[in-house]
Amino acid sequence: MFAAPGNPGIADHATLVGIDPADHRAVVDFCTRNSIELVVIGPEAPLVDGLADNLRTMGFCVFGPNKVPAQLEGSKGYTKELCAQRGIPTARFARASDRLAAEAALADFGLPVVIKADGLAAGKGVVIAASEAEAMAAIAAMFDGSFGTAGGSVVIEEFLEGEEASFFAITDGTTIVPFGTAQDHKRVGDGDTGPNTGGMGAYSPASIVTAEVEERVMEQIVRPTIAAMAERGAPYSGLLYAGLMLTAEGPKLIEYNVRFGDPECQVLMMRLDGDLLELMHCVARGRLDQLPPPRFSDDAALTVVMAANNYPGTPEKGGTIEGIAEAEADGAKVFHAGTALEEERLVADGGRVLNVTARGATVGEARDRAYQAVDRIRFPAGFCRRDIGWREIARGG
């Protein structure tokens, strides 16, 4: 197994390859020289940029959608317009490609209102504005380049009341099967305070996604989306992650991710019983119908993100990390994200640095084990939230 570019965590399992996934020619050349049998594209940017298309054109087996279906994550406006066309439940919205149009559209929405950069913004291009002034400032920031090209257009949405949850489905474009649930914590601070991040922790399963809710999500949201992509000549293959708001009227789509989310993937992997590689290979070959449905443990899993100081702003890089082995001594798993080796020292090399993950009979038990592991890690230049899973624990989970 090879990982590009990889990190010190996956280096325990794979050979690291110094290739930038944005360099499609280099990826294709490496796969050709090494007779690669399956390519799993993890990040969203290479998917939106069409890496899967180029690999498939060269005859490689790929897990992950092509460029056009990847626009379900690459453009929030694309997804919202698809929802409008197919009657998929979602928040009322307006899409604007310039600042004046966006400011004019605000008049059609009450407060609070949600302002989103249309393109990829690493989970940070969302502002929930409580006042018109705040909304205007968010629009100005997006069109002024605060989120790079992601803010070239914006989506304005009504604010939905309810509780968020994450729903996953896996599909080869024809067969579609559920692939678990989770709930993540986007705000940087305890008590869901501060700016949005890419995720500060998560737990699985999310009990609020009942069997009835799951059925509605599959029939009203996921299946119509997959059908729409097929009808557009852009069949969807891979993992589809639906971010949901569970409202009084039923589940509504907030947005899609076109890959395993972070930190949701970590808790799903801790609960998955079975061979993930076989599953992904069957999806890539269009043979998902030949496998039984994925099985997940009845245990809960919870992950805590340890982030570098100043995240989600400009994170402090280079902070020394110690104690990983002690953290994993009692069955927890520490997934690496933004880490690097400097002269044999493990150091922070990104915003979200580690995902400290544990299982338990309940979310509360998984939470306790995860934080015990967190407290064994020595990372003075980092921080974490201390209340991951609080909603489920408050429900008695």
Side-chain angles (χ1 to χ4, degrees):
M1 184 167 74
F2 302 92
N7 61 39
I10 202 170
D12 291 338
H13 310 280
T15 299
L16 302 189
V17 180
I19 295 176
D20 182 353
D23 187 344
H24 295 194
R25 173 60 65 85
V27 174
V28 170
D29 287 349
F30 178 87
C31 292
T32 301
R33 291 195 308 272
N34 291 276
S35 302
I36 297 300
E37 297 179 56
L38 174 66
V39 183
V40 180
I41 304 175
E44 64 273 28
L47 291 167
V48 171
D49 196 36
L51 178 57
D53 306 63
N54 290 333
L55 286 164
R56 287 187 171 108
T57 297
M58 298 302 295
F60 293 103
C61 199
V62 181
F63 182 87
N66 280 347
K67 181 174 185 175
V68 172
Q71 296 310 305
L72 289 171
E73 180 170 0
S75 170
K76 297 176 181 67
Y78 179 93
T79 297
K80 297 296 284 191
E81 289 170 359
L82 182 146
C83 288
Q85 293 167 7
R86 304 294 296 211
I88 295 170
T90 190
R92 186 170 58 85
F93 75 100
R95 189 180 187 184
S97 57
D98 64 74
R99 180 172 174 175
L100 290 178
E103 291 174 348
L106 275 179
D108 295 329
F109 294 85
L111 294 171
V113 63
V114 182
I115 315 294
K116 296 181 177 180
D118 183 77
L120 297 177
K124 302 173 190 176
V126 179
V127 174
I128 300 173
S131 67
E132 182 178 354
E134 190 178 354
M136 289 288 196
I139 290 170
M142 290 179 188
F143 283 111
D144 285 345
S146 293
F147 299 99
T149 58
S153 63
V154 303
V155 173
I156 302 169
E157 294 183 6
E158 68 171 323
F159 178 79
L160 295 177
E161 296 281 355
E163 189 168 342
E164 291 189 39
S166 302
F167 181 88
F168 304 83
I170 199 164
T171 178
D172 58 9
T174 303
T175 302
I176 312 168
V177 295
F179 197 73
T181 63
Q183 186 176 80
D184 74 336
H185 299 63
K186 289 294 188 190
R187 300 281 191 168
V188 72
D190 286 7
D192 293 322
T193 57
N196 274 325
T197 72
M200 294 299 294
Y203 67 89
S204 176
S207 67
I208 55 173
V209 184
T210 63
E212 178 186 0
V213 171
E214 178 178 304
E215 182 177 358
R216 290 183 68 174
V217 171
M218 286 291 289
E219 295 306 315
Q220 297 177 8
I221 298 176
V222 174
R223 291 190 189 280
T225 299
I226 300 301
M229 298 313 302
E231 290 172 14
R232 294 180 178 191
Y236 192 101
S237 176
L239 191 287
L240 184 64
Y241 162 0
L244 306 172
M245 184 68 77
L246 305 186
T247 73
E249 294 81 34
K252 295 187 179 184
L253 180 70
I254 300 173
E255 62 185 18
Y256 277 129
N257 287 350
V258 297
R259 34 81 200 189
F260 289 104
D262 175 15
E264 296 85 355
C265 181
Q266 288 85 334
V267 290
L268 291 176
M269 293 303 100
M270 291 291 280
R271 296 183 56 239
L272 179 66
D273 289 334
D275 189 337
L276 177 66
L277 180 60
E278 180 185 28
L279 181 64
M280 292 191 295
H281 202 202
C282 280
V283 168
R285 292 181 296 168
R287 300 176 183 175
L288 183 57
D289 62 340
Q290 297 180 8
L291 291 181
R295 302 186 314 276
F296 289 88
S297 168
D298 291 335
D299 278 358
L302 184 142
T303 189
V304 178
V305 170
M306 299 188 75
N309 288 342
N310 300 326
Y311 177 77
T314 302
E316 179 182 333
K317 293 188 176 183
T320 300
I321 304 164
E322 297 176 319
I324 301 294
E326 296 96 311
E328 294 184 329
D330 293 328
K333 175 65 180 176
V334 180
F335 293 93
H336 292 236
T339 64
L341 284 176
E342 289 185 359
E343 300 178 352
E344 300 186 0
R345 290 188 307 121
L346 184 66
V347 299
D349 191 41
R352 291 180 297 160
V353 179
L354 302 171
N355 292 83
V356 185
T357 316
R359 276 174 48 165
T362 64
V363 171
E365 185 175 296
R367 185 260 329 256
D368 292 345
R369 291 176 177 174
Y371 279 112
Q372 287 169 8
V374 165
D375 291 338
R376 292 171 179 165
I377 295 173
R378 298 177 293 282
F379 180 25
F383 72 99
C384 69
R385 281 183 57 165
R386 303 297 304 193
D387 64 345
I388 302 302
W390 69 267
R391 292 183 184 86
E392 188 69 9
I393 294 166
R395 285 190 281 264

